Amino acid sequence: MCHDLLCMDGNKYVHEVSSKNGSASEKKEVLLEDHDPVWLELRHSHIADASERLHDKMTHFVSKNKAAQLQQARAGGELSTRDLQKMVQALPQYTDQIDKLSLHVEIAGKLNVIIREQCLRDVGQLEQDLVFGDAGTKELINFFRTQLGVSRENKLRLLMIYAAINPEKFESDKGTKMMQLAGLSADDMIAVNNMRCLCTDTKKSSGGGFTLKFDVQKKKHAHRKERTTEQSAWALSRFYPVLEELIEQLSKGELPKDEYNCMNDPSPSFHVVPTTTSTSARTSPAHSMRSRRTGGSWARPRGSDDGYSSDSVLKHASSDFQKHGQRIFVFVIGGATRSELRAAHKLSSKLKREVILGSSSLDDPLQFITKLKMMSAEELTLDDLHI
């Protein structure tokens, strides 16, 4: 959501902070990357969950951090020399922690404002309902007629999803009527029509071979199946990328061989973590033997929980993945999304195997739409595609 809604430049986020002299605010650039422990902890969380956890962190910080308490102390009791000394020592850490927490509280607040202003809850609900078969043509038409405040881009995305699920309905003038109802341009319909072509099942027409599809060969009302094994507390988190299912199948050795052929047959122990170490394994290890560099004990914060140490609030925020089993490498041709990155991160913990995702590009929704508009009918012919 940060990358999709906040107009970030790569991982760079610009926000306003109060100037040191207190006269006016000034713009400050920050990087939302691995060095930020709060970002590491919350980057794959649902926005509602992230907002709740940030609120808890701020409350915990004020209640547990003695530097914050001393900062807010009122007259009524004399402070000991030791308390004053600790306050001075803790102030730099206090400033660093409150800056990090304040940054992410601001980001979560901006995201929630955008969600309300752009009616994204309603848009997201309809997107999910279309994919899982709980909504169809009638609901989409009603949405276009009643939700006048929805942006053109979000209407375009809804129509693209509809075209991916029902490509046959765009072979007549129905597609044009839907375009007019949504207030889209002819340029927008290029993206819709190209999406329809990409999602049409070409197995019958091309006699087999490589095809791009989103389970459209399943002739039933729901075009994606529910994940009954996973329960979520949030209504708008039913959808999951197809890639998530494919990686799970790969881990179990259940990928359909007619669609994902092995270049050479995998060994029987392909998915099994080896329990013994042979001579060849010692000379050519499967895992990297490079040790992780850690600082000396002088560089580590003291483990006391008295509220003065610099990581008293953020100490549980870091993510240190322990490698288990063989790595899974996945490469997506044509562009991956950040929801697929999130799926890879989630499955690394679930499968106890490090999932590494690569792609020819990492696209946000606008980039994906632009690429679709640039494609021609000739480029969408898949019969001569060799990988």
Side-chain angles (χ1 to χ4, degrees), residues 236-267:
L236 289 180
S237 58
R238 292 164 61 198
F239 182 81
Y240 58 94
V242 174
L243 186 68
E244 184 172 334
E245 214 167 51
L246 294 178
I247 294 174
E248 288 181 326
Q249 289 177 328
L250 172 66
S251 181
K252 298 174 185 176
E254 298 175 355
L255 270 182
K257 293 183 179 179
D258 58 333
E259 295 185 30
Y260 299 92
N261 295 318
C262 282
M263 299 303 291
N264 43 22
D265 292 332
S267 63

Side-chain angles (χ1 to χ4, degrees), residues 33 36 175 181 207 209 216 312 343 383:
E33 292 180 335
D36 183 337
L181 182 61
V216 293
S312 60
D383 296 338

Side-chain angles (χ1 to χ4, degrees), residues 132-148:
F132 286 105
D134 298 325
T137 308
K138 179 181 176 182
E139 287 79 9
L140 184 61
I141 290 174
N142 184 60
F143 187 88
F144 287 156
R145 284 176 174 167
T146 57
Q147 298 286 349
L148 303 178

Side-chain angles (χ1 to χ4, degrees), residues 144-209:
F144 287 156
R145 284 176 174 167
T146 57
Q147 298 286 349
L148 303 178
V150 175
S151 68
R152 184 177 60 86
E153 181 187 329
N154 285 326
K155 288 181 180 179
L156 173 57
R157 285 168 48 131
L158 282 165
L159 204 55
M160 287 167 61
I161 292 172
Y162 182 74
I165 295 170
N166 306 288
E168 72 285 350
K169 294 191 177 181
F170 284 78
E171 294 172 357
S172 61
D173 62 344
K174 289 183 180 179
T176 304
K177 291 180 179 178
M178 294 285 279
M179 174 196 76
Q180 293 171 346
L181 182 61
L184 302 180
S185 65
D187 184 54
D188 291 330
M189 284 307 293
I190 294 174
V192 176
N193 287 323
N194 285 348
M195 189 74 176
R196 177 182 64 84
C197 292
L198 282 173
C199 297
T200 301
D201 191 350
T202 59
K203 279 189 174 181
K204 292 182 181 179
S205 59
S206 61

Side-chain angles (χ1 to χ4, degrees), residues 4 32 244 270 346 364:
D4 291 352
L32 300 181
E244 184 172 334
F270 176 63
K346 169 184 166 185
D364 59 29

